[in-house]
Amino acid sequence: MSAILFNLFAIFTVACALGVVFNRNTIASALCLLLALVGVAGIFALLEAFLLAVLMVLVYAGAVVALFLFIVMLLDVSGGERKPFGKATVFSGIISAGLLVVGLISFTKHGAQTTAELPAGAAASGSVLKAYGEQLFTTYLLPVQIVGFLLLIAMLGVIVLSKKFQGLEDIK
Amino acid sequence: MFDFYFDLPLWIRLFVQGLAVMLVMFPIGAACSMAERKIAAWVQDRPGPNRTIAPILAWIPGIGFLRKLGLFQLAADGGKFVFKEDAVPGHVNKFYFIAAPIIAVIPALTTVAVVPFGAYLDAAGQVIPIMLANVDIGLLAVFAISSLSVYAIILAGWASNSKYPFLGSVRASAQLVSYELSMTLSVLPVFLWTNGPLRGETADSLLGSLSLARVVEFQSQSGFWGGLWFGFLMPLSAFIFLVSLFAETNRQPFDTVESEADLVNSFGSEYGAFKWSLFYVAEYCHMLVGSAVFMLLFGGGWNPLPWVTLADFANLLGFAHLPLVTGIVGIGIFLGKVLAMIFFFMWVRWTLPRFRYDQVMAIGWRRLLPLSIANLIAYVIGIALLTK
């Protein structure tokens, strides 16, 4: 049962991801992204990582894609004519795709052997809220703080870049 | 008595339960539109819809009461929406235009899955919540699913391909995203409290849960602090949540989204017949679920009065040994509270004027958000001191 569901969600996610890339309509692309994220959330739910599934829907599907759509509509971006790919793009695309394939093959060959059985009773950190919170505030405290700081810097950067400061009056 | 039901396979039971809840939600959502008209009439001192009746029913004695209540107007309106010509304007993007009302209804009816709506006492006297899915991320799931409802409004505005719907949907999406923040921050003190000093004799394994049923459990403990509803303990949180709820459901005074004076009917302008009514049923379902969550978090859930739990109430009236009766009474009390909230929503709508759009944004970002952060910090400090 779960194998069938996994295949369904995986195919759905990949199909939607392809839809993001190949759609000519920008709005349709953004909506495909939304569906792809919902598919990923479904896979998380199959892995019993319900918390991650819900966070995926709440943060990415609920807020980030909404902002994408918002911006696409405000700027009235149309898909338009697609430029033919340059040589450099094709070259780097082939290299990155090759690296991805090599990585996947090596992961399926070697990665599966190293996964140890979880001790009985131990909750996976992505599934239970309490375990997730504990991990965030103990093991991963530093990375979380650093990422938070990075996001803050990015936000300030956006404000500085997008706002046209006329004189000292505006900076106040 | 109900053995045959529990012998059914699980998926059939889940399907039947889900269907039953939706079959209650949808008509209540529709009936709210009539209640809205009646309450508007009452606030404005006029009778409201009171004439409609099917001729074949008119001879029944005593039916004039239902007629004056506008019940047949509701049926007539419903019938009109179904049988009216469903014209699709020529200038719209057909696929998204038709998809938008459907997308509006799906999250509105899905959120109810994780919201408990009643409780009964089992043989051991334990209070068991009645809900479709008792998950430990309860409230987070409600927020996640209801955050998807913004797409219906965005798509409706964009697919309508005309100016006013588009302006309305841009306003709506900005407003929904803005008020989500204060709403989420305002409920955090509740969950800090349920995992904090006065958690009573709950087992450690239950800690760290966002389940809505557990929040009610915390409001039905013994003692002064145990029986206190969180609305009295955290009035500011309740207030911020309520204001954000008004904004999230696009109700007056945050009704800038469909301010008919300057935006015709906003994202609904190009819609008609059943598709139009779906938007409104979705809006009322959001109000129902939002009021239910408010009552669970701050209003004691299915407990009839502060310091009087459902179990006490059942023991007092002597039906505690009948799970069916307790369940119906629990659902009845909870539904009564939710409908009282809906009445409050409507009362406010016909009393307060609408904010200007820039005022809505200023309230959201410059008043409510700092207030909710300050509120959270105050409770964090208070709970830390109490724990010490």
Side-chain angles (χ1 to χ4, degrees):
Chain A
M1 183 69 178
S2 73
I4 299 170
L5 282 177
F6 175 78
N7 286 334
L8 269 179
F9 276 122
I11 291 168
F12 177 75
T13 309
V14 172
C16 291
L18 288 176
V20 177
V21 183
F22 290 114
N23 246 317
R24 294 201 167 260
N25 186 338
T26 329
I27 303 270
S29 279
L31 289 172
C32 281
L33 178 62
L34 173 68
L35 289 179
L37 290 170
V38 171
V40 173
I43 291 175
F44 274 135
L46 279 182
L47 291 170
E48 298 195 350
F50 300 113
L51 179 65
L52 289 184
V54 165
L55 286 181
M56 195 79 186
V57 173
L58 182 64
V59 176
Y60 290 97
V64 173
V65 179
L67 287 179
F68 281 3
L69 272 178
F70 196 53
I71 290 162
V72 166
M73 285 175 179
L74 269 186
L75 300 179
D76 202 14
V77 186
S78 50
E81 288 300 301
R82 203 182 290 277
K83 278 187 206 158
F85 292 122
K87 268 179 194 163
T89 319
V90 173
F91 185 66
S92 56
I94 288 172
I95 288 196
S96 50
L99 280 176
L100 186 66
V101 169
V102 170
L104 277 178
I105 289 173
S106 76
F107 180 75
T108 46
K109 276 201 167 171
H110 308 290
Q113 295 159 6
T114 54
T115 49
E117 280 287 307
L118 273 177
S125 46
S127 62
V128 187
L129 200 59
K130 191 186 169 196
Y132 186 78
E134 268 179 10
Q135 294 278 314
L136 274 191
F137 280 96
T138 54
T139 319
Y140 299 108
L141 184 59
L142 188 64
V144 168
Q145 294 297 325
I146 291 172
V147 168
F149 209 69
L150 209 63
L151 286 175
L152 182 67
I153 293 169
M155 203 169 75
L156 289 176
V158 168
I159 292 171
V160 169
L161 286 177
S162 63
K163 203 167 160 71
K164 304 232 167 16
F165 294 106
Q166 296 292 328
L168 279 176
E169 294 294 303
D170 288 348
I171 296 173
K172 270 194 285 186
Chain B
M1 185 156 64
F2 301 106
D3 284 342
F4 74 93
Y5 178 70
F6 291 103
D7 290 338
L8 291 171
L10 183 66
W11 67 271
I12 294 184
R13 273 193 285 154
L14 291 178
F15 182 77
V16 169
Q17 285 168 0
L19 203 65
V21 170
M22 279 181 195
L23 284 181
V24 173
M25 277 282 284
F26 204 90
I28 292 183
C32 281
S33 67
M34 180 48 59
E36 178 108 57
R37 291 175 68 179
K38 271 303 202 188
I39 289 166
W42 179 60
V43 171
Q44 296 166 348
D45 201 14
R46 57 186 172 85
N50 65 345
R51 301 280 178 83
T52 317
I53 194 162
I56 46 166
L57 293 175
W59 58 272
I60 302 175
I63 206 161
F65 173 67
L66 292 180
R67 183 185 184 179
K68 282 206 177 104
L69 219 57
L71 212 66
F72 299 104
Q73 178 77 42
L74 173 65
D77 273 348
K80 184 194 78 176
F81 281 132
V82 176
F83 294 115
K84 206 173 163 180
E85 184 192 351
D86 196 359
V88 177
H91 55 77
V92 302
N93 186 329
K94 265 210 185 95
F95 177 75
Y96 296 113
F97 186 78
I98 293 170
I102 301 170
I103 297 174
V105 171
I106 292 172
L109 290 178
T110 315
T111 35
V112 78
V114 289
V115 177
F117 45 82
Y120 67 94
L121 302 171
D122 68 358
Q126 289 286 319
V127 177
I128 312 287
I130 305 173
M131 61 199 298
L132 293 178
N134 195 354
V135 285
D136 106 313
I137 42 177
L139 187 64
L140 214 53
V142 175
F143 282 157
I145 299 168
S146 63
S147 73
L148 292 180
S149 62
V150 67
Y151 292 105
I153 295 172
I154 296 183
L155 282 182
W158 177 76
S160 293
N161 192 19
S162 85
K163 287 192 185 68
Y164 293 128
F166 181 68
L167 270 177
S169 77
V170 169
R171 279 183 180 187
S173 34
Q175 181 175 323
L176 289 183
V177 173
S178 309
Y179 279 84
E180 238 166 49
L181 278 172
S182 340
M183 192 179 219
T184 317
L185 284 174
S186 72
V187 299
L188 283 181
V190 173
F191 289 99
L192 282 175
W193 189 264
T194 58
N195 293 304
L198 288 175
R199 63 178 189 240
E201 56 276 2
T202 30
D204 273 353
S205 61
L206 277 175
L207 289 180
S209 155
L210 291 181
S211 163
L212 286 166
R214 274 197 64 235
V215 177
V216 179
E217 230 175 88
F218 271 91
Q219 295 171 71
S220 36
Q221 299 181 81
S222 54
F224 177 77
W225 292 105
L228 194 65
W229 290 356
F230 289 146
F232 300 113
L233 191 66
M234 305 166 183
L236 193 57
S237 286
F239 176 72
I240 296 169
F241 187 84
L242 193 62
V243 173
S244 315
L245 194 62
F246 272 85
E248 288 283 306
T249 48
N250 296 331
R251 293 290 297 189
Q252 210 106 301
F254 299 95
D255 197 16
T256 52
V257 168
E258 52 136 330
S259 48
E260 56 273 13
D262 44 316
L263 290 182
V264 191
N265 192 4
S266 181
F267 55 84
S269 305
E270 306 287 341
Y271 283 89
F274 197 60
K275 290 206 272 299
W276 183 86
S277 64
L278 278 183
F279 279 117
Y280 284 85
V281 170
E283 185 185 313
Y284 286 118
C285 287
H286 274 299
M287 274 165 60
L288 278 170
V289 172
S291 313
V293 171
F294 179 84
M295 277 303 165
L296 289 166
L297 289 176
F298 300 108
W302 41 82
N303 296 326
L305 288 168
W307 300 291
V308 180
T309 65
L310 180 65
D312 297 340
F313 187 63
N315 282 321
L316 193 73
L317 295 186
F319 54 79
H321 58 285
L322 300 167
L324 196 65
V325 178
T326 332
I328 290 170
V329 169
I331 292 178
I333 290 170
F334 187 58
L335 205 61
K337 282 183 180 181
V338 170
L339 292 180
M341 274 292 291
I342 297 283
F343 172 74
F344 180 68
F345 267 95
M346 292 170 179
W347 188 14
V348 167
R349 170 168 180 183
W350 297 103
T351 308
L352 293 182
R354 171 185 299 136
F355 286 124
R356 260 195 346 254
Y357 183 64
D358 59 316
Q359 289 172 328
V360 169
M361 284 293 126
I363 291 169
W365 288 104
R366 288 163 61 187
R367 301 271 149 55
L368 223 50
L369 187 60
L371 195 65
S372 58
I373 293 173
N375 175 51
L376 174 64
I377 291 174
Y379 277 102
V380 166
I381 293 172
I383 290 169
L385 287 177
L386 272 175
T387 320
K388 233 181 161 184

